[in-house]
Amino acid sequence: MIRINCPYCGERDHSEFTYGGDGSVKYPALDASMEDWLQAVFQRENIRGVQTESWHHVNGCRMWLLVERDTMTHEIHSVRVAHPGLQQALEDPS
Amino acid sequence: MTARRLDAGGRIDRSHSLKFNWDGRLLRGFQGDTLASALMANGENLIGRSFKYHRPRGIMSAGVEESGALVTVGAGAKRDANVKATTCELFDGLAASGQNAWPNVRHDLGAVSNLFSRFLAAGFYYKTFMGLPPFEWGQGTGWWMKYEKIIRRAAGMGTASREPDPDAYEHAHAFCDVLVVGAGPAGISAALTAVWAGLDVVLVEQDFEPGGDYLNQAGPDADATRAKLLAEIVDADVRVMTRTTAFGLYDHGVAGLLERLPDQQIQNNKYLPRQRFWTLRAKQIIVAAGALERHIAFGNNDTPGVMTAAAARTYLNRFGVLPGKQIILSTNNDSAYGPALDLATAGASVHLLDARPDLPVDLVNTVAASGVRVTSGTAALKAVGGKQITRLETAAWTGTGWQSAGSENCDLVLVSGGWSPVVNLASHLSTKPVWDQDNCCFLPGETAAHIHMAGSAAGIWQTRDCETSGRVAGAAAAKALGKTAPDISKPEVGGWSHAISPLYEVTVPGKKLKSFVDPQHDVTADDVRLAHQEGFVSVEHLKRYTTLGMATDQGKMGNVIGMALMGEALGKDISDVGTTTFRPPYTPVSLGALTGRNKGDHFRPLRRTPMDKWNLDNGATMTEAGLWRRPWYFARSGETIKEAYIRETTTTRHDVGLCDVTSLGKIAVQGPDATEFLNRIYTNPFAKLPVGKARYGIMLRDDGIVMDDGTTWRLSETDYFMTTTTAHAAKVMVWLEELLQMRWPDLKVHVTSVSEQWAGCAVVGPKSRAVLEACVEDAALVSNDNLPFMGVVETRLKNGIPCRIARISFSGEMASEVYVPSDYAPAMMDMLWQAAKPLGGCLYGMEALGALRIEKGHVTGTELDGRVTIDDAGLGKMASPNKHFIGSVLRQRPAMMAQNRPRLVGIFPKDRDQTFNAGTILCRADEVSGHGEGWITGVTYSPAFGHWIGIGFITGGYQAWEGQTVVVADPVRRENVDVEIVSPHMYDPEGGRHHG
Amino acid sequence: MTRFSAWNVFRNGLSGQKGWDRQWRDVEPKADYDVVIVGGGIHGLATAYYLAKKHGLKNIAVLEKGWIGGGNAGRNTTIVRSNYFRPGNREFYEHSLKLWENLSHDLNYNVMFSQRGHVSLLHSPGAVDAAARGYNTLRLTGSDAEIWGLEELKQEIPHLNYAANARFPILGAAVQRRAGTARHDAVVWGYARAADQLGVDIIQNCEVLGVRRDQGRITGLDTSRGAIGGSKIGFSVAGNTSRLWDMAGLGTLPIESHKLQAFVTEPLKPLLDHVVVFGVGGTHFYISQSDKGGMVFGGDLDWYKSYAQRGNLPIVQDVSECALSILPCLGRVRLLRHWSGVCDMSMDGSHFICKTPLDNLYLNAGWNYGGFKAGPGAGWFFADLIANDRPHEIVAEHDLKRFERGYNIDERGAGPDPKLHG
């Protein structure tokens, strides 16, 4: 069981979450070129090692998280909220 | 083996006698026995039969590594095959029988295969059984299929019940600071150290008694030590779980535990489960799981009456059974001297053969004082005796090899070839074991920071050192969690005063021996050598080619010997042969426990709408839709399903029908940027949807394929109510959250799933407005002016229930969907039905819903199968050319815009009296083969047309097929049918009816 | 090399098994080959075999970083079937199934292909129709397919869960009788032995560490056993494809590596004579009984990307629930071992057998759940591609450019999310 430390809910089993995908993918603007869209939707780095990936706390707070995890060892290096504004609010509540 | 129960001694309760049944005979044992110790005490030698050669097998160990005494326990629905007698706690009324034998284990006709064993070497089955013997003539798989039937019957071990298991199982969850696996000298010390440092400790022990090796030691000292430690454990509030196996370690400190409840206890309490599967999350894990004694490969070393030395000591000291009178013990290490001493002290004649030329003088002197004879440079060579050992041929070390050295009568041969630390759990986490040549064993290797190995599991042999090592591990765990703990120096690996001498096989030149490496699977030393000869030299190839290590003990018995023999054949050290990988579970785990309560109708949740009971009370027959249960049809007395849905469809088109649509997904989309958000996710424009109006929308995936459709209602400037299909409700919600949180965090929009909060009923048909007028507070609110097609109102029903209504239609009739807070669903249904019934209305279910929508050519998930574009579905005009939306770029890819793609069409049978099925292939009349031109997704009898109709897809759309006959091919179910292709908008194509 | 036959088994039984040779040679790598295949799984070995046998090539090497068959070839649940129905996939898997049917004779190695029938349980009228669409296509394209009603199913497999209180009562089944199971390791060894006899060098413990390029060509490989040159080079490394691709400086691929677990119970006397599969209520499950007697089963991916060949508890629990939901008699049967493999999941669930941006580099990857059953076919078509430097028409659309064309070969309709293509 992978244990993910949700910034809102605390450390939980990964069965509470669903895995999204490669969190480093930058989706282009809606009017971007075909090439940009093909790259974002179909091409993957498929990292063997530490990658940034998205997880959705679907059976919890329903927040999308960005998790740095090693795909060889499953070790987690960091967890942050995907929404930059919310992440900032967590870091600096003032 | 002429074992007998001693009058005194052991840790059994002689005042508590237990009756049990072995192969139809009534025997007695005591509380505290295992099935194996009780069988042994009753003089039973032959307990099982081996996998391949059906050779007789007795008790070979006293634990989880058992490879001989495998039995079936229980009968009927509670039949439990492949039980290791050595770990089966005896209880009153236990019934066990032999397996993999006919008629019984003592006389097994299958043993004939042993006569042909010279032809049945490792991997022989890859070399034959392909065709007609002797030269494998023929083609195809016909011959193999015939052989396979026979082979399958001969293989397997026990027979499983064919009836559902009647017992209950549970899932349980727990958390702790420290999990300690194994309640022996190391584990108990570790647990105490950790708990005294202020940590929350769980101590699990697979046995039904805690104590580990303390239980196997002779004399009152061991009892006293054990009692003191256990008292301390209880006193310190360590959570002790006996009969609990840590069967697997998983990521991040999670352990899978299997807890077995005593059979006696569950027989007396029907509310108790048979087993519990625990998911335990620990911050630190101490593995003090012990070590297993290895045997040595020599001739017929599988004969009943051959077992490990430590097992004999366990039977003697723990169970009060002296396993033999005339005992020969063959060893290469110091550990066997203890059992020799105990057995001799208990009255047996013991001859200890120490393979080492230089004897450990101090140990020899100690055992000699109790009458043990010790011979140096000698080892077991061949057991003689068939179903029970009677004599042992021995071999003597010449300095360069072994030579025959005569023979000696005996009734029990004990073997100690060294010890294998239980590295299995560490191995589950991909920690590779490392070979230690000094101690002739695999050590755990470098574990992750939160895993600590202790005791003999870490290759530490002496009890005192194991206790120390436990304290070291406990302190390390405590420090890792920020507690203060004593600094204790770590005992060194090993601990025998005289070095072990590597000995894995005893063989003499020119003598043909059948020496077993993995006895359960009948893998012999010659099989290992044959694997080498044929190039299967890697450990994994060796395992797969010979099946070494794949029996129910998963290589606990044989792996190391197999690797040693391969190393010898290759002229390499074991460390260069490879390492051994263990997979979970450590010991087998019942599927029942892993399933827990999630079986039968609890296998998956059942979703019911809030008017589920109302529907049933009003005559609904239900059907499954994903996890939902929805009304299928409402048959009147004597009606078939077909009659019912035809009536429901007709009534709805002529008068009015009511249908539970609660299972549709509902999402509140709120916030200042809600309009912009909807405009990006739907293909059609949402920027100018007025308040009080609804709009049908289609969303695409990123790749431009249709994801879902539904209506979205504008309740205010910043508040929308979105509906999705039943099937995609959860997926759409997750998708919207992903977009808002990850892609467009600048949009000020909040989405909330309100599927559970609102119950919905579709009111459909020409009289639907009359029904609404009769039910709402102010009838004027639902007039055609106030609630036109695609209009939305929020109001109250006459009894004050708040509701929201939209004039939307899935049937082509004038219709509305009415939503109320879920708790009011039955009250709403009562009110609507009281209004609809006098108007000649009906209730309808999924079947009529399907008929109505097929007549109109409306698509559902059956059509939108994840490969269909918006153009394929005939909805291309809903893709706005004036804006960008999700999928708008990638939908433009050439193959997706091709004109000859299959498009949505309607299908009429040529002969209007004929019917056809959905799931069929549309073919050109002159080519009824291949992939066809299209397919049919939905078929119904259409009351409006008076014949069967279908909906589906065909290349180029209906215009391309005008006037042509198309064949519906259904080879898996029925004969072909000629059809014609029509527009998908079969009924009321102008759409006049839904305007009322 | 001693031919495998009952006669030679008998003779060797008398002679103490002295007559058997190594099944494939242990060779030192040469500096140069005409064709180098990277990956000693079923696909790589089969490719080499068909290159030598069918296309007459002589100078071929297969490089394997560990021991042959150590990846997914030895980790799968051994199911062989051809019930794929998208154009291209349909013909590909049918061709592969036909190769399976005579594989033991072809290789002179008993791969134990047991055509015991593949039975997909159906739980609703809608599911029957959905299955019929695929199975009708099977029949119309010359394969075998049947739909069984409940009575027929009960006769064939008497102890499935036919109880009224089953969460998803069984209505019938879609069946392919020619489908079944095979002995996975034997397929590896059989291809290795047959390829070796045709002169193919099988080089184990030879890990590719770097790719040598000269402009638009690949010139050779740096390996743990030295530099190895090849006029043509093929990658056939499943879950590790992205790593080699990266070494070749080719950027990204439409592939993600996910892990799929597999499970086996203790051995039992015959209990289940077919492969039984079901997918309902969001679950996915398949089970058969090995010739040794263990119940072999599996289900969904672990859902998250991973290169670790070990699984986690939620799926262990999930597949056990599935097993008991259709075979409630397995409650007391014990799980003996569970393990996992790394699957090269593609963006539409279908494979790639294609040319690459480098002239003489060829790619065989993206096998999702289908790699084992595809093995013979993948070897055959990959060899055909390498030998002729053009794809066979059956795999013409199975290239890396298909997403650009908008031609997705999506059996499940799951879209561009690799984890959904189980």
Side-chain angles (χ1 to χ4, degrees):
Chain A
M1 192 85 80
I2 292 175
R3 301 268 296 159
I4 298 173
N5 195 3
C6 173
Y8 289 104
C9 309
E11 196 177 55
R12 300 299 171 93
D13 290 352
H14 82 261
S15 51
E16 283 188 15
F17 301 77
T18 51
Y19 178 77
D22 186 338
S24 70
V25 173
K26 293 273 174 280
Y27 284 88
L30 291 178
D31 59 354
S33 69
M34 177 76 80
E35 202 166 312
D36 288 352
W37 272 102
L38 283 169
Q39 184 68 29
V41 172
F42 293 108
Q43 299 298 119
R44 291 291 173 265
E45 277 196 74
N46 201 17
I47 290 169
R48 193 170 186 269
V50 180
Q51 70 164 13
T52 301
E53 58 195 22
S54 61
W55 288 80
H56 187 215
H57 200 181
V58 68
N59 295 312
C61 60
R62 296 199 67 96
M63 297 311 292
W64 279 89
L65 309 175
L66 288 173
V67 178
E68 280 185 299
R69 187 182 62 99
D70 192 318
T71 58
M72 280 298 294
T73 64
H74 301 164
E75 190 186 348
I76 288 178
H77 296 280
S78 75
V79 182
R80 63 184 196 276
V81 180
H83 192 288
L86 292 172
Q87 175 63 25
Q88 203 178 357
L90 280 177
E91 286 167 10
D92 179 15
S94 59
Chain B
M1 188 159 73
T2 43
R4 65 182 175 90
R5 180 87 71 181
L6 301 176
D7 296 333
R11 290 155 183 125
I12 47 167
D13 181 357
R14 284 185 178 73
S15 67
H16 193 156
S17 162
L18 304 173
K19 290 193 291 286
F20 72 102
N21 191 303
W22 166 242
D23 254 354
R25 282 170 300 134
L26 198 65
L27 303 176
R28 281 177 184 277
F30 295 117
Q31 188 75 35
D33 262 327
T34 61
L35 176 58
S37 66
L39 285 169
M40 191 184 283
N42 281 281
E44 294 290 332
N45 300 324
L46 204 170
I47 313 294
R49 288 277 171 173
S50 68
F51 191 88
K52 187 163 147 190
Y53 302 139
H54 288 246
R55 287 168 67 97
R57 293 286 159 80
I59 296 164
M60 308 178 99
S61 76
V64 295
E65 70 273 36
E66 180 61 28
S67 275
L70 301 175
V71 302
T72 297
V73 171
K78 295 194 175 188
R79 183 185 182 89
D80 199 356
N82 305 332
V83 173
K84 297 175 180 89
T86 50
T87 60
C88 175
E89 182 177 358
L90 192 70
F91 61 90
D92 200 49
L94 181 150
S97 52
Q99 61 179 32
N100 199 30
W102 192 86
N104 60 53
V105 285
R106 285 169 299 285
H107 310 282
D108 176 16
L109 292 182
V112 70
S113 64
N114 191 34
L115 302 176
F116 300 107
S117 61
R118 60 161 53 195
F119 304 109
L120 311 184
F124 81 97
Y125 30 76
Y126 301 127
K127 298 170 180 165
T128 180
F129 300 135
M130 291 173 270
L132 179 68
F135 300 115
E136 313 296 333
W137 287 305
Q139 297 285 298
T141 60
W143 279 96
W144 163 244
M145 298 294 291
K146 288 182 182 54
Y147 293 120
E148 189 194 33
K149 272 208 178 70
I150 300 161
I151 289 169
R152 285 187 67 202
R153 274 202 291 269
M157 292 288 280
T159 304
S161 160
R162 295 294 188 268
E163 298 165 60
D165 183 354
D167 282 336
Y169 299 82
E170 273 178 3
H171 288 169
H173 295 266
F175 296 80
C176 66
D177 292 328
V178 182
L179 165 67
V180 181
V181 180
I188 292 176
S189 296
L192 283 172
T193 308
V195 78
W196 286 338
L199 296 173
D200 175 23
V201 179
V202 170
L203 173 62
V204 299
E205 170 54 56
Q206 63 187 357
D207 205 310
F208 51 91
E209 296 278 6
D213 197 51
Y214 293 129
L215 289 164
N216 306 327
Q217 296 174 4
D221 287 357
D223 280 331
T225 307
R226 179 171 159 259
K228 172 175 164 286
L229 290 170
L230 292 179
E232 284 176 348
I233 286 279
V234 171
D235 206 41
D237 276 342
V238 171
R239 289 189 269 165
V240 183
M241 299 172 72
T242 52
R243 300 184 180 85
T244 303
T245 306
F247 65 78
L249 295 189
Y250 299 89
D251 287 316
H252 301 182
V254 174
L257 313 179
L258 180 75
E259 180 189 11
R260 297 168 299 277
L261 277 74
D263 284 86
Q264 210 81 65
Q265 204 176 328
I266 60 170
Q267 278 169 12
N268 298 332
N269 185 340
K270 65 177 178 174
Y271 298 108
L272 281 179
R274 178 171 177 249
Q275 298 174 348
R276 287 193 190 99
F277 157 41
W278 289 82
T279 304
L280 177 79
R281 297 124 186 116
K283 293 176 186 146
Q284 299 280 312
I285 296 174
I286 295 169
V287 179
L292 302 172
E293 191 170 30
R294 278 198 305 273
H295 65 145
I296 298 165
F298 58 85
N300 297 340
N301 58 337
D302 63 328
T303 310
V306 179
M307 69 172 79
T308 60
R313 171 168 162 265
T314 298
Y315 289 111
L316 174 65
N317 293 333
R318 179 170 172 187
F319 299 110
V321 180
L322 185 59
K325 279 192 241 168
Q326 211 173 346
I327 302 173
I328 305 175
L329 199 165
S330 180
T331 188
N332 61 345
N333 71 85
D334 289 0
S335 75
Y337 284 77
L341 178 65
D342 291 353
L343 290 161
T345 308
S349 139
V350 180
H351 183 187
L352 196 157
L353 313 180
D354 194 328
R356 295 174 291 187
D358 299 319
L359 290 176
V361 180
D362 49 338
L363 294 176
V364 172
N365 290 341
T366 310
V367 298
S370 297
V372 175
R373 262 193 310 142
V374 183
T375 309
S376 69
T378 313
L381 176 64
K382 184 183 179 188
V384 181
K387 290 180 182 176
Q388 160 58 31
I389 194 160
T390 54
R391 196 158 54 82
L392 182 73
E393 293 179 21
T394 60
W397 184 248
T398 63
T400 52
W402 295 100
Q403 66 179 29
S404 287
S407 74
E408 186 173 333
N409 289 343
C410 60
D411 65 350
L412 179 66
V413 168
L414 302 181
V415 187
S416 176
W419 290 76
S420 295
V422 175
V423 299
N424 305 50
L425 290 176
S427 189
H428 295 174
L429 291 171
S430 309
T431 299
K432 284 201 163 76
V434 177
W435 182 253
D436 179 298
Q437 186 56 34
D438 291 344
N439 288 287
C440 294
C441 67
F442 278 105
L443 294 176
E446 196 175 333
T447 60
H450 68 287
I451 309 281
H452 311 272
M453 305 296 296
S456 54
I460 291 161
W461 305 139
Q462 303 297 343
T463 303
R464 190 62 58 83
D465 292 342
C466 286
E467 291 164 350
T468 309
S469 132
R471 283 193 284 275
V472 171
K479 285 174 185 166
L481 295 176
K483 301 286 182 185
T484 45
D487 290 314
I488 310 156
S489 58
K490 204 172 183 170
E492 283 191 22
V493 167
W496 290 319
S497 53
H498 309 274
I500 183 173
S501 154
L503 179 62
Y504 304 98
E505 184 193 14
V506 182
T507 176
V508 297
K511 194 167 174 95
K512 186 85 187 144
L513 296 172
K514 192 167 278 181
S515 307
F516 288 87
V517 176
D518 185 332
Q520 191 182 145
H521 265 177
D522 289 326
V523 180
T524 65
D526 283 343
D527 287 330
V528 176
R529 283 185 277 272
L530 177 60
H532 169 257
Q533 179 185 328
E534 297 190 86
F536 296 94
V537 297
S538 91
V539 175
E540 290 295 334
H541 281 162
L542 169 66
K543 172 178 123 184
R544 286 151 190 275
Y545 193 61
T546 63
T547 77
L548 169 70
M550 296 176 88
T552 61
D553 71 312
Q554 288 287 289
K556 294 183 185 81
M557 279 290 253
N559 269 11
V560 169
I561 301 177
M563 289 176 67
L565 298 185
M566 181 56 77
E568 198 177 292
L570 289 167
K572 285 183 179 177
D573 291 339
I574 293 183
S575 53
D576 296 326
V577 173
T579 186
T580 179
T581 308
F582 294 103
R583 302 275 177 198
Y586 174 59
T587 51
V589 179
S590 73
L591 298 184
L594 293 168
T595 298
R597 304 273 183 192
N598 302 334
K599 60 179 187 176
D601 56 354
H602 286 183
F603 166 50
R604 286 291 181 265
L606 175 66
R607 299 188 74 178
R608 300 178 174 94
T609 72
M611 47 256 229
D612 185 73
K613 183 169 183 302
W614 193 95
N615 288 321
L616 288 168
D617 289 348
N618 284 277
T621 300
M622 307 298 273
T623 187
E624 305 266 346
L627 295 178
W628 286 96
R629 182 163 87 180
R630 298 182 65 182
W632 192 3
Y633 55 92
F634 293 82
R636 292 185 180 159
S637 77
E639 270 184 346
T640 62
I641 172 174
K642 186 182 166 193
E643 288 161 352
Y645 86 74
I646 289 173
R647 173 185 49 74
E648 291 166 17
T649 307
T650 310
T651 304
T652 301
R653 290 229 186 273
H654 286 165
D655 301 304
V656 64
L658 304 180
C659 181
D660 178 357
V661 294
T662 305
S663 65
L664 294 178
K666 285 147 285 193
I667 300 171
V669 182
Q670 295 161 314
D673 294 327
T675 307
E676 170 64 17
F677 179 55
L678 293 171
N679 209 37
R680 293 185 192 181
I681 58 171
Y682 281 124
T683 63
N684 46 327
F686 267 75
K688 296 194 177 108
L689 179 67
V691 173
K693 282 283 194 178
R695 187 163 287 173
Y696 174 68
I698 293 181
M699 352 179 149
L700 308 185
R701 304 189 305 225
D702 276 328
D703 66 349
I705 295 287
V706 178
M707 175 193 272
D708 198 50
D709 66 345
T711 58
T712 292
W713 316 3
R714 189 164 199 178
L715 304 175
S716 81
E717 282 300 316
T718 57
D719 189 0
Y720 290 86
F721 180 72
M722 172 190 284
T723 67
T724 74
T725 59
T726 300
H728 290 154
K731 182 174 155 185
V732 170
M733 182 65 197
V734 168
W735 171 235
L736 300 186
E737 287 169 322
E738 180 182 348
L739 291 174
L740 287 170
Q741 295 178 36
M742 296 193 53
R743 283 201 210 173
W744 303 325
D746 53 319
L747 287 189
K748 294 188 179 67
V749 182
H750 197 275
V751 288
T752 313
S753 168
V754 291
S755 296
E756 309 288 327
Q757 281 65 34
W758 294 93
C761 179
V763 184
V764 181
K767 295 177 183 168
S768 59
R769 184 163 36 239
V771 173
L772 293 184
E773 282 169 348
C775 296
V776 293
E777 265 180 352
D778 177 0
L781 279 178
V782 296
S783 69
N784 203 37
D785 286 342
N786 211 42
L787 186 64
F789 182 58
M790 299 313 274
V792 175
V793 293
E794 286 188 279
T795 178
R796 285 173 185 279
L797 299 180
K798 272 193 171 140
N799 51 10
I801 297 172
C803 70
R804 48 179 66 161
I805 305 172
R807 263 284 297 280
I808 47 184
S809 174
F810 191 53
S811 58
E813 297 302 319
M814 179 168 72
S816 295
E817 285 178 11
V818 185
Y819 288 92
V820 297
S822 291
D823 288 351
Y824 297 115
M828 168 181 71
M829 290 308 290
D830 279 342
M831 184 178 276
L832 292 171
W833 184 220
Q834 272 166 32
K837 210 171 176 178
L839 299 173
C842 71
L843 304 170
Y844 70 91
M846 298 278 285
E847 201 67 19
L849 185 92
L852 290 163
R853 71 99 186 172
I854 292 172
E855 287 180 334
K856 277 299 289 180
H858 282 310
V859 292
T860 65
T862 321
E863 286 74 37
L864 305 177
D865 65 357
R867 290 178 287 255
V868 164
T869 67
I870 193 166
D871 297 295
D872 298 346
L875 299 165
K877 61 181 183 299
M878 289 190 63
S880 167
N882 303 319
K883 66 164 190 175
H884 292 283
F885 48 87
I886 290 279
S888 64
V889 174
L890 292 179
R891 70 179 280 267
Q892 308 281 353
R893 290 176 288 162
M896 292 171 68
M897 299 302 279
Q899 284 307 305
N900 64 344
R901 286 177 66 92
R903 307 281 167 160
L904 189 74
V905 294
I907 298 125
F908 283 2
K910 263 284 209 244
D911 172 351
R912 300 287 199 255
D913 291 333
Q914 280 203 304
T915 179
F916 50 90
N917 285 319
T920 42
I921 307 301
L922 291 165
C923 297
R924 291 155 54 114
D926 58 355
E927 195 185 349
V928 186
S929 70
H931 290 270
E933 300 290 335
W935 63 97
I936 300 180
T937 51
V939 171
T940 185
Y941 180 83
S942 165
F945 289 101
H947 61 79
W948 289 84
I949 61 170
I951 187 171
F953 293 83
I954 194 163
T955 47
Y958 71 95
Q959 294 93 338
W961 296 88
E962 259 173 319
Q964 297 184 48
T965 296
V966 170
V967 174
V968 170
D970 197 4
V972 295
R973 287 177 296 191
R974 50 165 294 167
E975 74 280 7
N976 299 343
V977 177
D978 288 348
V979 295
E980 55 193 73
I981 304 299
V982 298
S983 157
H985 310 294
M986 289 170 269
Y987 181 71
D988 185 29
E990 295 76 30
R993 296 184 63 87
H994 62 241
H995 287 289
Chain C
M1 176 73 66
T2 309
R3 201 184 139 72
F4 286 174
S5 67
W7 172 245
N8 279 327
V9 167
F10 176 72
R11 280 184 10 162
N12 275 282
L14 298 178
S15 77
Q17 313 293 342
K18 293 284 185 279
W20 305 117
D21 315 316
R22 277 190 73 100
Q23 295 197 359
W24 60 91
R25 292 163 299 133
D26 185 17
V27 290
E28 282 302 315
K30 293 190 276 191
D32 264 300
Y33 289 93
D34 292 343
V35 182
V36 177
I37 304 296
V38 185
I42 293 172
H43 289 225
L45 293 164
T47 304
Y49 170 72
Y50 292 115
L51 278 170
K53 171 108 188 260
K54 184 162 179 298
H55 302 283
L57 274 77
K58 296 274 179 260
N59 192 23
I60 306 167
V62 176
L63 312 186
E64 167 53 49
K65 76 174 157 114
W67 38 278
I68 60 168
N72 295 341
R75 294 167 187 271
N76 60 79
T77 47
T78 83
I79 297 169
V80 175
R81 58 186 168 88
S82 77
N83 59 348
Y84 287 67
F85 77 103
R86 304 306 299 164
N89 281 0
R90 177 77 273 284
E91 291 73 18
F92 172 86
Y93 281 102
E94 194 60 35
H95 186 88
S96 195
L97 180 57
K98 284 179 181 153
L99 292 172
W100 274 109
E101 286 178 309
N102 208 41
L103 197 58
S104 293
H105 298 282
D106 191 13
L107 302 178
N108 180 231
Y109 207 106
N110 190 356
V111 301
M112 304 184 190
F113 179 36
S114 168
Q115 295 187 282
R116 52 180 68 178
H118 179 273
V119 179
S120 304
L121 302 180
L122 303 171
H123 304 263
S124 69
V128 174
D129 287 341
R133 180 178 165 197
Y135 280 64
N136 274 324
T137 304
L138 255 64
R139 282 277 282 275
L140 291 171
T141 51
S143 190
D144 74 305
E146 297 167 28
I147 301 281
W148 288 353
L150 193 55
E151 288 316 307
E152 192 169 3
L153 183 61
K154 280 181 178 172
Q155 283 196 347
E156 292 271 352
I157 315 180
H159 40 270
L160 291 177
N161 185 6
Y162 299 111
N165 80 335
R167 176 64 185 83
F168 301 106
I170 299 168
L171 287 190
V175 182
Q176 188 177 35
R177 285 195 188 262
R178 283 162 62 234
T181 59
R183 174 80 184 94
H184 52 3
D185 296 319
V187 185
V188 176
W189 304 331
Y191 271 119
R193 176 169 166 272
D196 177 87
Q197 285 178 32
L198 295 169
V200 172
D201 283 358
I202 296 165
I203 302 160
Q204 301 186 100
N205 300 309
C206 180
E207 182 171 5
V208 173
L209 305 170
V211 172
R212 295 185 175 193
R213 270 179 68 174
D214 179 14
Q215 305 293 332
R217 291 182 62 79
I218 179 167
T219 55
L221 302 163
D222 292 317
T223 78
S224 56
R225 298 181 69 171
I228 298 175
S231 307
K232 292 181 174 181
I233 293 179
F235 289 169
S236 187
V237 295
N240 288 306
T241 305
S242 296
R243 296 177 67 207
L244 280 181
W245 202 250
D246 190 43
M247 282 182 205
L250 292 171
T252 56
L253 280 170
I255 289 175
E256 274 189 9
S257 297
H258 282 259
K259 76 176 143 111
L260 177 61
Q261 299 197 52
F263 306 81
V264 66
T265 69
E266 292 182 341
L268 300 164
K269 292 294 177 193
L271 172 73
L272 184 64
D273 299 334
H274 303 77
V275 180
V276 177
V277 180
F278 79 94
V280 67
T283 58
H284 178 202
F285 181 73
Y286 36 93
I287 187 165
S288 66
Q289 187 170 20
S290 77
D291 287 338
K292 261 175 61 195
M295 306 302 296
V296 179
F297 53 94
D300 283 314
L301 294 169
D302 269 35
W303 296 123
Y304 51 87
K305 225 193 84 182
S306 174
Y307 285 93
Q309 290 173 324
R310 57 192 164 83
N312 265 316
L313 279 171
I315 295 291
V316 179
Q317 184 182 315
D318 187 68
V319 293
S320 302
E321 291 169 5
C322 289
L324 259 60
S325 80
I326 55 160
L327 285 163
C329 61
L330 296 182
R332 290 173 116 84
V333 169
R334 283 179 292 269
L335 176 68
L336 181 60
R337 188 169 73 245
H338 72 98
W339 63 96
S340 105
V342 182
C343 291
D344 38 338
M345 305 299 292
S346 74
M347 283 291 171
D348 60 358
S350 292
H351 50 274
F352 306 100
I353 294 181
C354 60
K355 299 188 66 168
T356 72
L358 303 183
D359 285 347
N360 55 337
L361 174 67
Y362 304 87
L363 179 67
N364 167 42
W367 287 100
N368 296 275
Y369 271 43
F372 178 66
K373 66 185 85 74
W380 196 95
F381 284 104
F382 198 35
D384 178 83
L385 169 73
I386 293 170
N388 298 312
D389 194 39
R390 56 99 194 94
H392 191 282
E393 60 176 14
I394 285 178
V395 295
E397 300 279 5
H398 288 85
D399 65 347
L400 292 165
K401 296 265 185 196
R402 67 175 181 261
F403 301 112
E404 211 174 300
R405 294 195 299 279
Y407 191 91
N408 301 350
I409 311 174
D410 192 341
E411 293 281 336
R412 292 192 135 197
D417 189 344
K419 66 179 180 291
L420 301 182
H421 291 289

